[in-house]
Amino acid sequence: DLALDTIAVRTLARGRSTLAIREPLAGTLTVRTVRDTMGVDLLVRADSGTVRFLGYSLLDSIHTSIHGDATLQRIDPRAFVARRDIPRLILDGRATVAIDMAPADTDAHITLRLDTSSVLGDERVRSGEMRAGMDRRGLHVDTAEVTTRSLHLQARGTLAPHGVTHDTLSFAD
């Protein structure tokens, strides 16, 4: 077992991350390896909540693949961005993660389904689902829909890395 006192996101994301982590992160990582397959049990705690990832990684000399499922409990995404004008958002739910990395390309996708215990602003979420990914175009939101008692929010588009392409992320209600 490995205890993580500090997590260097830029190291893990190999220069593809522009997220500035605003909260301290800590956790545990348990791995079990058989030949080229590594089972992963990762628990990350922030002041605002926890994420638990259970999955596996296939490792070889030219390709890395990580697949699994995550459980989110009381995660506040505002911990990852500098903007404070974003409404309160507390996420509870489940995510499916698929990451395939080769020397010339990375294809990463996550599908997140929110539980009704999630909160947007002052209201509980009635339904919420998002599919997003990261590749050479940057972070792209394929589809995102969140519904509360008084709001139905949709989003899609791309957040470009380092000015390579233009941001196209847009929201509709």
Side-chain angles (χ1 to χ4, degrees):
D1 292 353
L2 173 66
L4 303 172
D5 291 326
T6 308
I7 298 173
V9 174
R10 287 195 184 276
T11 301
L12 295 175
R14 297 184 187 171
R16 290 181 172 90
S17 174
T18 57
L19 295 177
I21 304 299
R22 302 292 177 201
E23 288 187 5
L25 301 177
T28 58
L29 172 65
T30 303
V31 297
R32 302 212 188 305
T33 303
V34 177
R35 291 184 287 281
D36 65 347
T37 303
M38 180 173 60
V40 177
D41 182 348
L42 174 67
L43 176 65
V44 177
R45 289 179 304 280
D47 288 341
S48 62
T50 62
V51 174
R52 175 127 204 202
F53 175 79
L54 297 170
Y56 67 91
S57 177
L58 299 175
L59 307 168
D60 66 38
S61 61
I62 59 170
H63 181 261
T64 300
S65 178
I66 302 168
H67 293 260
D69 296 301
T71 302
L72 289 74
Q73 295 180 324
R74 303 210 41 84
I75 294 297
D76 184 352
R78 294 176 300 174
F80 301 100
V81 295
R83 293 176 50 190
R84 293 294 173 221
D85 60 334
I86 298 171
R88 185 179 132 192
L89 183 59
I90 304 299
L91 302 180
D92 291 307
R94 298 197 176 276
T96 302
V97 178
I99 302 170
D100 293 297
M101 294 181 284
D105 195 21
T106 295
D107 184 28
H109 283 90
I110 183 169
T111 300
L112 173 63
R113 289 176 184 82
L114 298 178
D115 292 342
T116 55
S117 56
S118 297
V119 177
L120 174 59
D122 294 326
E123 296 184 34
R124 290 221 181 255
V125 171
R126 289 186 172 174
S127 66
E129 185 167 337
M130 177 183 81
R131 177 170 162 75
M134 183 173 283
D135 57 24
R136 70 176 64 129
R137 297 177 299 152
L139 173 68
H140 52 91
V141 176
D142 300 325
T143 181
E145 288 193 48
V146 177
T147 302
T148 67
R149 182 180 45 79
S150 64
L151 176 71
H152 181 79
L153 178 68
Q154 296 176 309
R156 69 177 327 126
T158 302
L159 290 174
H162 311 297
V164 174
T165 59
H166 297 290
D167 289 344
T168 64
L169 186 63
S170 61
F171 295 89
D173 56 4

